[in-house]
Amino acid sequence: MSTKDKATVGEDQHGIESEDTETVGKPLLAAEKSRMTCRNVFVYYGEKMAIDNISLDIGKNEVLSMIGPSGCGKSTFLRCLNRMNDTIDICRVDGDIKLDNQDIYDQKLDVVPLRARVGMVFQKPNPFPKSIYDNIAYGPRIHGMVDSKTDTDEVVETSLKRAGLWEEVKDRLDAPGTGLSGGQQQRLCIARAIAVNPEVILMDEPCSALDPIATAKIEELIDELREEFTIAIVTHSMQQAARVSQRTAYFHMGKLIEVGKTNKIFTMPSHQLTEDYITGRFG
Amino acid sequence: MSNKQDRKSVAAAVEKGLARRKAKEKRFQRAGLAAVITALMMLAVLLISIVSTGMPAFTQTALKLDFHYDESLLPAGQTLNEETIRAMDFHGLVKKTLREKFPQVKKRKDKKALYKMVSNGTPYILRDMLMEDHALLGQIKSIWVLADDEVDSIFKGSKTIADSRLTEAQYGWVTQLVAEERVMTRFNWTFFQNGDSREPEQSGIRGAIMGSLFVIIVTLALSFPMGVAAAIYLEEFARPGRLNDLIEININNLAAVPSIVFGLLGLAVYINFMGMPRSAPLVAGLVLTLMTLPTIIIASRAALKSVPPSIREAALGMGASKMQMVFHHVLPLAMPGMLTGSIIGMAQALGETAPLLMIGMIAFIVDIPQGLLDPATVLPVQIYLWADVPEAAFRERTAAAIMVLLAFLVVMNLLAVWLRKKFEKRW
Ligand SMILES: Nc1ncnc2c1ncn2[C@@H]1O[C@H](COP(=O)(O)OP(=O)(O)O)[C@@H](O)[C@H]1O
Ligand SMILES: [Mg+2]
């Protein structure tokens, strides 16, 4: 039975049968190309399974976007990549996730350096209620990357410049970060994340709380950052996924349905569910 | 029925309902306002009654008398030193001075009444003055001494002659002194300088204020760090589970335990078992720490809970350890709430009487405490003690002490507001 037939059984029913769990497309990359590798990842919230056997690679210097209807587990999966799920007591992660061939769920590995290597930008801009300067300087300080005021000044300046925020805030570095506009706050959060020079940046719907102009700025920024960082971005906007990413992964009810080159996914999806989603039939 | 009609009837129904809803709202608002006004009025009555009773206690009548430090006070052949001064008969000096001032008084009974005109602390004041300045011996010195509380009451108008215990003769003498401009009503410094006393005109609240201060210092020094640490542990680090629930329930229950129970506990544990001294501010502080801990823990946990999770995520996402997250980000944001809770706890402790009665703070203590182990009393207990004494002058002092206590509480609450404003940050 083809997937097409099944999906037409009922327009509202988008459940997937067991034989469909095989991900369509190319979730895996060649070893030398990938930054993070995930194999057979399962995530449970208590008894409830939120991620069901996902294997996916994230390449070096690529932007991977993750799309899918809400509640399908995009955030959950993203938060596995820097072990933010550790903070949720009932959450349990199974499987094998590696960063540069190092198991990040290794008992001996400390999450602190991991999170310095895998930074995160959240859905709602969440600058610390401190000055702009201190927001950026916080990461380098706690990780011992800066010794002197001049070091710190330099890191703050370069980070803000890389995040395209320097010109707007250079005269008021002592002003509270929470006093900026939403878009500026989000760029401040990005600057804060890149201040510790991570290898991977995870972004969970970074533009969902922003207006179109601020969104455009962030998208532009993501494109620039790709040169230095690997970026995994969750988004509910397909246009955004199409604009910023090279590869796109489509999630559905905890399963990874399809992965492929972004333009292929949006023009010629192979799986019925993907097609239904990108043509706006649900989600 | 057409659609149009239908809509009209719906609109009419809504209209009708709206009027009812508005009336309901009005009624509710009025009831609320009435409640507020009633509460305010009661508060006003209370304050007015306290202030009007207590005000006279802040002034004090003094009489000017010329005391002759006669050389004969010093037995022949002795030198003037502390010991010999202590042996001198200053009571006699006061009596003699009064007799000389009013030579017309002859009868024994009248003389007795005459001696009662000045505070019977006067001899000690004379003694202390001579101790300080030995050159006074042989001189005549005009000194303002405190009037007896009955005389004082007359001058402050808190009693009329009719209901005063002053006799006609005594009143006559007072009038004579007034005519000679030897009577003055001045601010009652004694009230703020002395400890408790059996004599109203000599009694003050210095001892109680110092006692309260020591007690509050002990309480604050112990309960704030302990309460905050406990709250941080329970809120941020403890694994949720049965044990945690049990602790939480117990803390909430402790907050509701009548305070006298803590007093009994303090008596049993600190005094009887550990052998600490009775009436000591240290013990009182320990007891009140037990009492305020739950309040502080509950307030601090609420403050920690109210810190938005996004800040925690931001910190953890930057690679901060849990400890760094708590101390760099969560705690500063929770601080205003914690401080407010703690100050409210302290204010409660400051006004607490019952548990302190159990640990011996009710004793009559004249000396002003100098340290944490000296016997002491505290403001509310002092109020309780004075409220029991029949003399009118003590009734005034009770109200005055209440005013002082209220002033302390107001200051503490203002401090809480100020701290809140100072530390509060937007996010
Ligand atoms: N903290 C949590 N506790 C329990 N269940 C959760 C939690 N977070 C997410 N879930 C569940 O996991 C599933 C995936 O959620 P999520 O990853 O947030 O989806 P998405 O980001 O794709 O909208 C949902 O069914 C959600 O209800
Ligand atoms: Mg999400």
Side-chain angles (χ1 to χ4, degrees), chain A residues 79 84 87 89 112 115 120 122 124 126-130 138-139 142-143 178-179 192-193 196, chain B residues 239-240 310-321 324-325 328-329 332-333 425-427:
Chain A
R79 291 162 60 93
M84 277 303 275
T87 59
D89 286 309
V112 168
R115 289 187 190 142
M120 188 150 193
F122 297 84
K124 198 172 144 261
N126 57 354
F128 299 127
K130 297 179 189 294
Y138 184 68
I142 60 169
H143 294 300
T178 41
R192 181 176 68 186
V196 292
Chain B
R239 295 221 149 259
S310 64
I311 299 295
R312 297 164 198 269
E313 284 199 319
L316 291 176
M318 285 308 299
S321 66
Q324 287 171 327
M325 170 193 92
H328 294 168
H329 302 286
L333 290 178
K425 280 185 180 156
R426 285 181 310 115
W427 57 73

Coordinates of all heavy atoms in Angstrom, one line a residue, chain A residues 79 84 87 89 112 115 120 122 124 126-130 138-139 142-143 178-179 192-193 196, chain B residues 239-240 310-321 324-325 328-329 332-333 425-427:
Chain A
R79 N 16.0 20.2 21.7 CA 16.6 20.3 23.0 C 17.4 19.1 23.5 O 18.1 19.2 24.5 CB 15.4 20.6 24.0 CG 14.8 21.9 23.9 CD 13.4 22.0 24.5 NE 13.5 21.7 25.9 CZ 13.6 22.6 26.9 NH1 13.6 23.9 26.5 NH2 13.7 22.3 28.1
M84 N 19.2 20.2 26.9 CA 18.3 21.0 27.7 C 17.2 20.2 28.3 O 16.6 20.6 29.3 CB 17.7 22.2 26.8 CG 18.6 23.4 26.7 SD 19.1 24.1 28.2 CE 17.7 25.2 28.5
T87 N 16.8 19.3 32.1 CA 16.2 20.1 33.1 C 14.8 19.7 33.4 O 14.2 20.2 34.3 CB 16.2 21.6 32.7 OG1 15.5 21.7 31.5 CG2 17.7 22.1 32.5
D89 N 12.3 17.0 34.6 CA 12.6 15.8 35.4 C 12.0 14.6 34.8 O 12.6 13.5 34.8 CB 11.9 16.0 36.8 CG 12.8 16.9 37.6 OD1 14.0 16.7 37.7 OD2 12.2 17.9 38.2
V112 N 28.0 21.5 31.1 CA 28.4 22.9 31.0 C 29.3 23.1 29.8 O 28.9 24.0 29.0 CB 29.1 23.3 32.3 CG1 29.9 24.6 32.1 CG2 28.1 23.3 33.4
R115 N 27.2 22.8 26.5 CA 26.3 23.9 26.2 C 27.1 25.1 25.7 O 26.5 26.0 25.1 CB 25.4 24.3 27.3 CG 24.3 23.2 27.5 CD 23.3 23.6 28.5 NE 22.5 22.4 28.8 CZ 22.0 22.1 30.0 NH1 22.3 22.8 31.1 NH2 21.3 21.0 30.2
M120 N 22.1 28.0 22.3 CA 20.7 28.0 22.0 C 20.0 29.3 22.0 O 20.4 30.2 22.8 CB 20.0 27.1 23.0 CG 18.6 26.8 22.7 SD 18.1 25.2 23.4 CE 16.6 24.9 22.5
F122 N 16.1 31.0 22.0 CA 14.8 30.5 22.3 C 13.7 31.2 21.5 O 14.0 32.2 20.9 CB 14.5 30.6 23.8 CG 15.5 29.7 24.6 CD1 16.7 30.2 25.0 CD2 15.1 28.5 25.0 CE1 17.6 29.4 25.7 CE2 16.0 27.7 25.8 CZ 17.2 28.1 26.1
K124 N 11.0 32.8 22.7 CA 10.7 34.2 23.2 C 12.1 34.8 23.5 O 12.9 34.2 24.2 CB 9.8 34.0 24.4 CG 9.2 35.3 24.8 CD 8.2 35.1 25.9 CE 8.1 36.2 26.9 NZ 9.0 36.1 28.1
N126 N 14.9 36.1 25.4 CA 15.0 36.1 26.9 C 16.3 36.6 27.4 O 17.1 35.9 28.0 CB 14.8 34.7 27.4 CG 15.7 33.7 26.8 OD1 16.5 34.0 25.9 ND2 15.7 32.5 27.3
P127 N 16.6 37.9 27.1 CA 17.8 38.5 27.6 C 17.8 38.5 29.1 O 16.7 38.5 29.7 CB 17.9 39.9 27.0 CG 16.4 40.2 26.7 CD 15.8 38.9 26.4
F128 N 19.0 38.4 29.8 CA 19.0 38.6 31.2 C 18.6 40.0 31.6 O 18.9 40.9 30.9 CB 20.4 38.3 31.7 CG 20.9 36.9 31.4 CD1 22.1 36.8 30.8 CD2 20.2 35.8 31.8 CE1 22.6 35.5 30.5 CE2 20.7 34.5 31.5 CZ 21.9 34.4 30.9
P129 N 17.9 40.1 32.7 CA 17.6 41.5 33.2 C 18.9 42.2 33.7 O 18.9 42.7 34.8 CB 16.6 41.3 34.3 CG 16.8 39.9 34.7 CD 17.4 39.1 33.6
K130 N 19.8 42.3 32.8 CA 21.1 43.0 33.1 C 21.4 43.9 31.9 O 20.6 44.0 31.0 CB 22.2 42.0 33.3 CG 22.0 41.0 34.4 CD 23.2 40.0 34.4 CE 23.0 38.9 35.4 NZ 23.0 39.3 36.8
Y138 N 28.4 37.5 29.9 CA 28.1 36.5 30.9 C 28.7 35.1 30.5 O 29.4 34.5 31.3 CB 26.6 36.3 31.1 CG 26.3 35.3 32.1 CD1 26.6 35.6 33.5 CD2 25.7 34.1 31.8 CE1 26.4 34.7 34.5 CE2 25.5 33.2 32.8 CZ 25.8 33.5 34.1 OH 25.6 32.6 35.1
G139 N 28.5 34.7 29.2 CA 29.0 33.4 28.8 C 30.5 33.3 28.9 O 31.1 32.4 29.6
I142 N 31.7 33.1 32.6 CA 31.5 31.9 33.4 C 32.3 30.8 32.8 O 32.7 29.8 33.5 CB 30.0 31.4 33.5 CG1 29.4 31.2 32.1 CG2 29.2 32.4 34.3 CD1 28.0 30.5 32.3
H143 N 32.7 30.8 31.5 CA 33.5 29.8 30.9 C 35.0 30.1 31.0 O 35.8 29.4 30.4 CB 33.1 29.5 29.5 CG 31.7 28.9 29.4 ND1 31.3 27.8 30.0 CD2 30.6 29.4 28.8 CE1 30.1 27.5 29.8 NE2 29.6 28.5 29.1
T178 N 16.7 44.2 28.5 CA 15.3 44.1 28.4 C 14.6 45.3 27.8 O 13.4 45.3 27.5 CB 14.7 43.7 29.7 OG1 15.3 44.6 30.7 CG2 14.9 42.3 30.1
G179 N 15.3 46.4 27.7 CA 14.7 47.6 27.2 C 14.8 47.7 25.7 O 14.2 48.7 25.1
R192 N 24.7 36.9 22.3 CA 25.1 36.2 23.6 C 25.5 34.8 23.3 O 26.5 34.3 23.9 CB 23.8 36.3 24.5 CG 24.1 35.7 25.9 CD 22.9 35.8 26.7 NE 21.7 35.0 26.3 CZ 20.5 35.1 26.8 NH1 20.2 35.9 27.7 NH2 19.5 34.3 26.3
A193 N 24.7 34.1 22.4 CA 25.1 32.7 22.2 C 26.4 32.6 21.4 O 27.2 31.7 21.7 CB 24.0 32.1 21.3
V196 N 30.4 32.9 23.1 CA 31.2 31.8 23.6 C 31.8 31.0 22.4 O 32.4 29.9 22.7 CB 30.5 30.9 24.6 CG1 30.2 31.7 25.9 CG2 29.2 30.4 24.1
Chain B
R239 N 14.9 17.0 44.7 CA 14.1 16.2 43.7 C 12.7 16.2 44.2 O 12.5 15.9 45.4 CB 14.7 14.8 43.6 CG 16.1 14.8 43.1 CD 16.2 13.6 42.1 NE 17.2 14.0 41.1 CZ 16.9 14.4 39.8 NH1 15.6 14.5 39.5 NH2 17.8 14.8 39.0
P240 N 11.8 16.4 43.3 CA 10.4 16.3 43.8 C 10.1 14.9 44.1 O 10.6 13.9 43.5 CB 9.6 16.8 42.6 CG 10.5 16.8 41.4 CD 11.9 16.8 41.9
S310 N 12.0 31.4 31.5 CA 12.8 31.8 30.4 C 14.2 32.3 30.8 O 15.2 32.0 30.1 CB 12.1 32.9 29.6 OG 12.0 34.1 30.3
I311 N 14.2 32.9 32.0 CA 15.6 33.3 32.5 C 16.4 32.1 32.9 O 17.6 32.1 32.6 CB 15.4 34.3 33.7 CG1 14.6 35.5 33.4 CG2 16.7 34.6 34.3 CD1 15.3 36.4 32.4
R312 N 15.8 31.2 33.5 CA 16.5 29.9 33.9 C 17.0 29.3 32.6 O 18.2 28.8 32.5 CB 15.6 29.0 34.6 CG 15.1 29.5 35.9 CD 13.9 28.6 36.3 NE 13.2 29.4 37.4 CZ 13.4 29.3 38.6 NH1 14.3 28.4 39.1 NH2 12.7 30.0 39.5
E313 N 16.1 29.2 31.6 CA 16.6 28.5 30.4 C 17.7 29.2 29.7 O 18.6 28.6 29.2 CB 15.4 28.4 29.4 CG 14.4 27.4 29.8 CD 13.5 27.0 28.6 OE1 13.1 27.9 27.9 OE2 13.2 25.8 28.4
A314 N 17.6 30.6 29.7 CA 18.7 31.4 29.1 C 20.0 31.1 29.8 O 21.0 30.9 29.1 CB 18.3 32.9 29.2
A315 N 20.0 31.0 31.1 CA 21.2 30.8 31.8 C 21.7 29.4 31.6 O 22.9 29.2 31.2 CB 21.0 31.0 33.3
L316 N 20.9 28.4 31.7 CA 21.3 27.0 31.4 C 21.8 26.9 30.0 O 22.8 26.2 29.7 CB 20.2 26.1 31.7 CG 19.8 25.9 33.2 CD1 18.6 25.0 33.3 CD2 20.9 25.4 34.0
G317 N 21.1 27.5 29.1 CA 21.4 27.4 27.7 C 22.8 28.0 27.4 O 23.5 27.6 26.4
M318 N 23.2 29.0 28.2 CA 24.5 29.6 28.1 C 25.6 28.7 28.7 O 26.8 29.0 28.6 CB 24.6 30.9 28.7 CG 23.9 32.0 28.0 SD 24.4 32.1 26.3 CE 26.2 32.5 26.5
G319 N 25.2 27.6 29.3 CA 26.2 26.7 29.9 C 26.5 27.0 31.4 O 27.4 26.6 32.0
A320 N 25.6 27.8 32.0 CA 25.7 28.1 33.4 C 25.3 26.8 34.2 O 24.4 26.1 33.8 CB 24.8 29.2 33.9
S321 N 26.0 26.5 35.3 CA 25.6 25.4 36.1 C 24.4 25.8 36.8 O 24.0 26.9 36.9 CB 26.7 25.0 37.0 OG 26.9 26.0 38.0
Q324 N 25.1 28.3 39.3 CA 25.4 29.7 38.7 C 24.0 30.3 38.3 O 23.8 31.5 38.5 CB 26.3 29.6 37.5 CG 27.7 29.3 37.9 CD 28.6 29.0 36.8 OE1 28.2 28.4 35.8 NE2 29.9 29.4 36.8
M325 N 23.2 29.4 37.7 CA 21.9 29.9 37.3 C 21.1 30.5 38.5 O 20.6 31.6 38.4 CB 21.1 28.8 36.7 CG 19.6 29.1 36.5 SD 18.6 27.7 36.2 CE 18.1 27.2 37.8
H328 N 23.4 33.7 40.0 CA 23.6 34.8 39.1 C 22.3 35.4 38.6 O 22.2 36.6 38.4 CB 24.4 34.4 37.9 CG 25.8 34.0 38.2 ND1 26.6 33.4 37.3 CD2 26.5 34.1 39.4 CE1 27.8 33.1 37.9 NE2 27.7 33.6 39.2
H329 N 21.3 34.6 38.5 CA 20.1 35.1 37.8 C 18.8 35.0 38.6 O 18.1 36.0 38.7 CB 19.9 34.4 36.5 CG 21.1 34.5 35.6 ND1 21.3 35.7 34.9 CD2 22.1 33.7 35.3 CE1 22.5 35.5 34.2 NE2 22.9 34.3 34.4
P332 N 18.9 37.1 42.3 CA 18.7 38.6 42.2 C 17.3 39.0 41.9 O 16.8 40.0 42.4 CB 19.7 39.0 41.1 CG 20.7 37.9 41.0 CD 20.0 36.7 41.4
L333 N 16.7 38.2 41.0 CA 15.3 38.5 40.7 C 14.3 38.2 41.8 O 13.3 38.8 42.0 CB 14.9 37.8 39.4 CG 15.6 38.2 38.1 CD1 15.1 37.4 37.0 CD2 15.2 39.7 37.9
K425 N 13.5 44.6 39.2 CA 13.9 44.8 37.9 C 12.8 44.3 36.9 O 12.1 43.4 37.2 CB 15.2 44.0 37.6 CG 16.4 44.7 38.1 CD 17.6 43.9 37.8 CE 18.9 44.6 38.3 NZ 20.0 43.7 38.5
R426 N 12.8 44.9 35.8 CA 11.8 44.5 34.8 C 12.4 43.3 34.0 O 13.6 43.2 33.9 CB 11.4 45.6 33.9 CG 10.5 46.6 34.5 CD 10.2 47.7 33.5 NE 11.3 48.2 32.9 CZ 11.6 48.1 31.6 NH1 10.8 47.5 30.8 NH2 12.7 48.7 31.1
W427 N 11.6 42.4 33.5 CA 12.1 41.5 32.6 C 11.0 41.1 31.6 O 9.9 41.5 31.7 CB 12.6 40.2 33.3 CG 11.5 39.5 34.1 CD1 10.4 38.8 33.7 CD2 11.4 39.5 35.5 NE1 9.7 38.4 34.7 CE2 10.3 38.8 35.9 CE3 12.2 40.0 36.5 CZ2 9.9 38.6 37.2 CZ3 11.8 39.8 37.8 CH2 10.7 39.1 38.1

